[in-house]
Amino acid sequence: MGKRNTIHKLPEYKGYSAYYYYDDEDKLWVGRIYHSADGEFTDMVAWHDTEEYLMEYLFHEVVDDYISFKKQMEYKYGKPVNRK
């Protein structure tokens, strides 16, 4: 099994965990965030790139953007977003 057929887990960042893999059909590296407490997806948060070395950097960027988005929605609607 080669590197491209493996799911790679990224180090946790700001309470979020993620993994990435290579999609042979699209010829892209694809990353997905999941909720670290239970291993389940909370929202569909994903990213992709043609270069593997960017996946961790892009994960951090996506998390920062997602946190900012959630704060904006909380401010706009006056209630927490996606909290149990």
Side-chain angles (χ1 to χ4, degrees), residues 62-78:
V62 167
V63 167
D64 292 341
D65 288 347
Y66 183 63
I67 290 170
S68 176
F69 168 77
K70 285 175 55 170
K71 286 180 182 177
Q72 289 173 5
M73 293 298 101
E74 187 173 329
Y75 176 76
K76 183 175 182 177
Y77 296 107

Side-chain angles (χ1 to χ4, degrees), residues 40-68:
E40 296 293 324
F41 290 99
T42 54
D43 289 316
M44 180 48 131
V45 181
W47 71 98
H48 63 272
D49 202 277
T50 57
E51 301 294 335
E52 181 182 14
Y53 75 92
L54 292 173
M55 295 310 285
E56 187 170 357
Y57 168 78
L58 292 172
F59 167 49
H60 293 184
E61 292 290 310
V62 167
V63 167
D64 292 341
D65 288 347
Y66 183 63
I67 290 170
S68 176

Side-chain angles (χ1 to χ4, degrees), residues 3-62:
K3 187 176 185 180
R4 292 185 171 217
N5 296 325
T6 303
I7 293 176
H8 305 275
K9 187 172 185 221
L10 292 166
E12 188 175 298
Y13 178 71
K14 294 187 178 180
Y16 292 87
S17 297
Y19 67 88
Y20 70 93
Y21 62 92
Y22 189 76
D23 184 317
D24 285 319
E25 186 175 330
D26 292 330
K27 307 288 189 247
L28 292 170
W29 291 97
V30 179
R32 296 224 157 92
I33 294 175
Y34 62 91
H35 188 274
S36 60
D38 56 14
E40 296 293 324
F41 290 99
T42 54
D43 289 316
M44 180 48 131
V45 181
W47 71 98
H48 63 272
D49 202 277
T50 57
E51 301 294 335
E52 181 182 14
Y53 75 92
L54 292 173
M55 295 310 285
E56 187 170 357
Y57 168 78
L58 292 172
F59 167 49
H60 293 184
E61 292 290 310
V62 167

